[in-house]
Amino acid sequence: MSNILLKLQEEFDENPFVSFDSTGQGISRGYDGTWDYTARNERLRTVNFTAVPESHRANIQRYVGKLLEYNTGKSTDNHVSVSQMVRWKDILSLISKFWGKSDFSLLSNNTEYRKFKSFIKGHYSQSTMDKIATTINTLNAAGLLDRYVKYSELRVLANDKESKQHIAMPSTIHAKVLQRVIDTVETYHPHRLEISAAMSKGIKLRDSELANELSKLHVSSLPKNKTKALNRRVARQAHKLGETIPEYRFDQKGKWVNDVLKDCLMCVALFSGARKTELLSFNHNSYHVIAGVPVLQGKTYKANKGVAKTETWVTHPIALKALELAYDMTQYARDIHKAVLNDAFDNGDITIDACQRGMRQLSSAFISTNMGVEYYGKVKSTYFLELARGLNLEKFGIVATPEEVDEFNFLNPDWYDEMAVGGSLPKLSLHDLRRSFAVFLVRNRLGNAQTIKYQFKHKNINMSHWYANYAQLARAEDLLMDESLMIEANEAMEELAVEAFDDIYNGSENLSGGGSKDIMKEKEERLGRGETIVMSREEIKVLVKNGSKSIVLLPTGAYCTNADCERLCSIESFAAEDKPCSHLVITDKSAKEMAAQRKRLIKAFTDMNDMGDYAYSRILVGYKEKICHIEHTLKSHKIPFEPFTQQIKVLA
């Protein structure tokens, strides 16, 4: 045993308090299985050591306690977040798992350090190895060992398993998900108070029937078969209490309400880009209009030592309806939870800090709806909406087309080939919605309202204007999103640009458009020298990051290499401009999309032409010019087609 660990044992001999309530009274001691920090009102409230093997638990508690003491004294505000303590505990547990020891001061010894590295080799990802290096260096700074570790030392020991990036949805799937959750909100918003009333009556009916059954049988609880029979009987009667509510179904665990609640949550997420913890801080009072800009104001814990701070997100007015629906329809559950909390506090079963924490959580629009007998009348560790079972992906009825699969692979290289034609998304989480928001924010910020209306298949162009103006409005009113979402948007921009240039330089056999000549010349020169690729992804990434190259993906599938372009070449129904754009680049993949666009234009032309109305003649002229222009592109890319020969009837 090292001298440092002996000294730590002496310091912890008296098992000192490590957490306190809001009055300053000690709550948890160093060797307790759980350190309770409820009084702090942080996102995390406990540091739980019960899962740490007993042979290492006391040592890890001592080291975490010492790191807490050292970093609290070092901090300007005498504060170390609960999440930071949890990270120390988790990483120290990982170190001890394969090393087999928890006297971390021994890592000062070169022989022991070499053993440690051999034991952990291949067991953790690079990101975890980085966290291990950081923790060892934190122990060093606190004087608990004499070794400083470079990240490169441990990265070479990492395995090949790296966490995948969250997915971004293809645009048409994104639009389908948007439409589904909006339809849910619009359908049930007028019934939100009825839903709460029907659920409240159903729960009271269940309580009454259960009390009668227990009294009749002279028992304190029912056997399983009796419970199931009672639940079926109650459900049959309770369904009728919500007859005016479309497709309403009562069940004690609130599954039907929970499904509607998830759609409300997704709606707010899709129109804000907020994280899970931030979304859970919203309620019906979070929506405001500032200088004409609709915004949501809620709490974030990111980069603030686990302490909540107010943040603002620009949003869309539909978010208000979603929050009102979510809050009002769950009022029945909120009332029951609050009554249970107050009773528990009055009986001395919970502290004032625990009671206040529960009440704060119940101010959220997104709370637990489970009123099953096993949970009913009991204090819960959290009152937020349960999301362990996901976001009901199967209910969106996604059947991927070949084009959607191609776009999915383009947007999500980490998930390449994990979505099949005819299949659905491989997964869908709140953070997937967040990344989708960032990706489409990037795309939309580079387009005009018509472009976005096409990209999102919006029925209302006002929604498209909101997306297009998001960044501009946010900057003008100083209502920027949280910094990390902006970083994610910038990363998405870089990823899309790299994929696009890789398609142009290395993926497409043929190129066309005014901007393709110089690229084709460069390709010929490099390939003529025997190079297998024109420009590696690494080279492209460097040029994108330093601003030497920029690109815009147009709805037609083509690319514009001038990010500041304001031309209308991205609007499919307009006639082609006389002067060819010197920035437009069309790949083989783009040309295939334009072939599909041509078919749509021909159908639109035929339908309008059959009306025989002279007022449409100029539009038909524009359609015909666009169709012929696309045919030139198809020839360049060797895509077969039947030439368009229809004449405009009213001009013939």
Side-chain angles (χ1 to χ4, degrees):
M1 182 182 295
S2 67
N3 290 332
I4 289 176
L5 183 56
L6 282 170
K7 188 176 178 183
L8 284 178
Q9 284 182 339
E10 291 174 5
E11 290 184 23
F12 275 77
D13 268 350
E14 296 180 6
N15 197 16
F17 283 112
V18 291
S19 71
F20 304 85
D21 65 17
S22 54
T23 66
Q25 295 295 311
I27 294 290
S28 306
R29 293 184 179 273
Y31 292 125
D32 288 352
T34 300
W35 295 358
D36 187 344
Y37 293 91
T38 301
R40 291 189 177 188
N41 190 26
E42 296 182 27
R43 182 178 65 88
L44 297 180
R45 66 183 184 89
T46 60
V47 184
N48 196 326
F49 294 91
T50 55
V52 178
E54 204 167 327
S55 57
H56 299 300
R57 187 182 305 161
N59 280 353
I60 289 176
Q61 288 175 316
R62 293 172 190 131
Y63 276 97
V64 172
K66 193 63 179 178
L67 287 177
L68 171 61
E69 178 188 311
Y70 170 77
N71 285 278
T72 299
K74 182 184 171 186
S75 170
T76 54
D77 55 3
N78 295 320
H79 180 81
V80 173
S81 69
V82 179
S83 58
Q84 178 60 74
M85 286 184 268
V86 171
R87 279 195 294 275
W88 288 333
K89 181 263 297 183
D90 288 344
I91 297 302
L92 292 177
S93 298
L94 291 180
I95 292 174
S96 65
K97 181 177 180 180
F98 292 103
W99 181 37
K101 299 178 182 180
S102 51
D103 184 354
F104 303 103
S105 300
L106 295 176
L107 292 175
S108 303
N109 180 277
N110 289 333
T111 301
E112 198 63 55
Y113 182 59
R114 283 194 295 271
K115 288 181 184 177
F116 155 73
K117 289 198 295 183
S118 68
F119 285 135
I120 67 167
K121 184 177 181 179
H123 287 295
Y124 300 120
S125 67
Q126 181 176 302
S127 60
T128 301
M129 290 296 188
D130 286 350
K131 292 172 185 173
I132 290 173
T134 298
T135 303
I136 290 174
N137 293 338
T138 303
L139 291 169
N140 172 273
L144 296 173
L145 58 77
D146 185 18
R147 179 173 299 281
Y148 183 85
V149 178
K150 293 181 180 179
Y151 291 117
S152 57
E153 285 184 64
L154 299 187
R155 282 180 178 174
V156 296
L157 307 175
N159 58 32
D160 295 330
K161 297 177 183 177
E162 195 55 74
S163 57
K164 294 181 179 180
Q165 186 177 28
H166 291 282
I167 67 171
M169 294 181 285
S171 57
T172 48
I173 292 178
H174 189 275
K176 181 181 288 187
V177 172
L178 263 177
Q179 194 60 59
R180 152 68 193 267
V181 298
I182 289 172
D183 287 347
T184 297
V185 171
E186 295 288 3
T187 298
Y188 292 108
H189 183 265
H191 300 281
R192 61 194 188 279
L193 299 179
E194 295 173 59
I195 293 171
S196 180
M199 287 298 296
S200 179
K201 291 175 183 176
I203 296 299
K204 288 176 181 176
L205 176 64
R206 189 277 309 272
D207 290 349
S208 175
E209 291 288 320
L210 178 59
N212 290 338
E213 194 74 11
L214 293 174
S215 176
K216 185 170 66 177
L217 298 174
H218 304 290
V219 294
S220 58
S221 63
L222 296 179
K224 273 188 178 181
N225 61 329
K226 294 276 187 184
T227 300
K228 286 181 179 179
L230 182 141
N231 289 345
R232 286 195 295 269
R233 187 168 69 249
V234 169
R236 281 195 298 271
Q237 299 176 60
H239 290 332
K240 299 174 184 178
L241 298 171
E243 285 181 326
T244 61
I245 304 166
E247 299 180 12
Y248 173 79
R249 303 296 291 171
F250 172 85
D251 70 276
Q252 299 171 42
K253 294 186 177 181
K255 187 179 182 303
W256 183 88
V257 177
N258 199 64
D259 287 348
V260 176
L261 201 55
K262 284 182 181 178
D263 278 5
C264 293
L265 183 70
M266 291 179 68
C267 183
V268 180
L270 285 162
F271 286 101
S272 68
R275 297 180 189 83
K276 174 184 172 181
T277 53
E278 296 158 351
L279 291 166
L280 295 178
S281 75
F282 295 149
N283 60 31
H284 58 312
N285 293 319
S286 299
Y287 180 88
H288 306 279
V289 178
I290 301 176
V293 181
V295 300
L296 292 170
Q297 291 183 329
K299 300 296 183 182
T300 184
Y301 297 86
K302 196 72 175 176
N304 198 41
K305 293 189 175 181
V307 179
K309 67 175 180 179
T310 300
E311 184 64 87
T312 302
W313 294 262
V314 180
T315 191
H316 183 277
I318 191 68
L320 175 60
K321 282 189 174 182
L323 290 171
E324 287 179 337
L325 171 58
Y327 190 89
D328 289 342
M329 76 173 179
T330 57
Q331 189 59 47
Y332 76 95
R334 192 171 288 104
D335 290 340
I336 293 170
H337 290 318
K338 284 185 175 181
V340 171
L341 272 174
N342 283 326
D343 285 346
F345 175 65
D346 290 342
N347 294 333
D349 297 329
I350 59 173
T351 65
I352 183 63
D353 296 319
C355 182
Q356 290 176 348
R357 180 184 177 87
M359 292 296 184
R360 283 193 296 270
Q361 290 183 347
L362 289 170
S363 69
S364 169
F366 306 106
I367 63 170
S368 169
T369 59
N370 192 339
M371 294 294 152
V373 174
E374 65 271 34
Y375 301 104
Y376 190 63
K378 298 175 183 177
V379 174
K380 298 172 69 71
S381 59
T382 179
Y383 289 92
F384 288 130
L385 172 66
E386 173 59 53
L387 293 168
R389 296 185 180 179
L391 296 175
N392 302 334
L393 175 59
E394 69 284 353
K395 294 197 173 183
F396 291 95
I398 297 169
V399 180
T401 64
E403 293 76 18
E404 288 169 341
V405 170
D406 286 344
E407 187 179 355
F408 177 86
N409 289 334
F410 172 78
L411 293 171
N412 306 286
D414 286 355
W415 295 84
Y416 196 87
D417 271 355
E418 293 200 35
M419 186 169 86
V421 174
S424 185
L425 294 168
K427 71 185 189 78
L428 188 62
S429 69
L430 286 176
H431 210 104
D432 295 325
L433 302 185
R434 180 175 167 85
R435 179 163 183 259
S436 296
F437 181 91
V439 168
F440 288 109
L441 172 66
V442 167
R443 286 184 165 186
N444 297 335
R445 188 171 60 182
L446 299 177
N448 53 51
Q450 288 287 355
T451 303
I452 297 160
K453 187 174 186 294
Y454 173 91
Q455 185 77 3
F456 270 71
K457 308 297 184 286
H458 289 159
K459 296 177 182 177
N460 184 345
I461 200 167
N462 289 332
M463 190 180 293
S464 303
H465 279 304
W466 172 78
Y467 269 105
N469 294 330
Y470 186 105
Q472 182 181 348
L473 285 170
R475 279 190 286 270
E477 299 298 332
D478 195 26
L479 300 172
L480 286 172
M481 296 175 293
D482 56 284
E483 184 180 350
S484 66
L485 183 56
M486 294 303 290
I487 291 171
E488 195 157 353
N490 290 333
E491 289 175 351
M493 186 185 300
E494 290 174 0
E495 289 168 13
L496 290 170
V498 170
E499 291 293 336
F501 279 118
D502 190 40
D503 182 26
I504 290 170
Y505 281 102
N506 305 312
S508 186
E509 184 177 343
N510 305 290
L511 294 176
S512 61
S516 66
K517 293 179 182 178
D518 291 340
I519 295 172
M520 288 298 293
K521 184 178 178 182
E522 185 179 357
K523 287 181 72 169
E524 288 173 8
E525 289 176 355
R526 291 205 179 197
L527 295 175
R529 294 198 298 265
E531 298 181 25
T532 55
I533 59 171
V534 178
M535 191 179 296
S536 70
R537 290 178 65 89
E538 288 70 25
E539 289 179 276
I540 294 171
K541 187 172 288 188
V542 170
L543 293 172
V544 169
K545 280 184 175 293
N546 67 23
S548 299
K549 285 189 176 293
S550 59
I551 200 164
V552 179
L553 175 62
L554 303 174
T556 58
Y559 300 107
C560 177
T561 55
N562 178 8
D564 298 319
C565 182
E566 295 182 355
R567 289 162 60 101
L568 298 178
C569 53
S570 61
I571 302 176
E572 68 170 26
S573 301
F574 284 24
E577 298 182 48
D578 293 334
K579 184 180 178 181
C581 177
S582 61
H583 301 288
L584 184 67
V585 179
I586 303 170
T587 64
D588 289 335
K589 179 181 173 183
S590 308
K592 289 177 183 177
E593 293 185 31
M594 294 175 78
Q597 179 196 140
R598 174 178 170 274
K599 290 180 181 178
R600 292 194 297 270
L601 286 170
I602 290 174
K603 184 180 185 306
F605 179 98
T606 303
D607 292 345
M608 195 176 293
N609 200 22
D610 288 344
M611 294 180 187
D613 191 333
Y614 186 82
Y616 293 132
S617 61
R618 296 192 67 178
I619 297 175
L620 290 170
V621 169
Y623 278 3
K624 188 168 184 178
E625 286 184 20
K626 185 72 174 180
I627 292 167
C628 293
H629 178 75
I630 291 175
E631 288 182 355
H632 287 300
T633 300
L634 300 185
K635 287 178 184 177
S636 300
H637 292 265
K638 303 178 178 61
I639 297 175
F641 63 92
E642 286 292 327
F644 181 73
T645 57
Q646 289 189 48
Q647 300 298 315
I648 300 172
K649 294 178 180 179
V650 295
L651 299 181

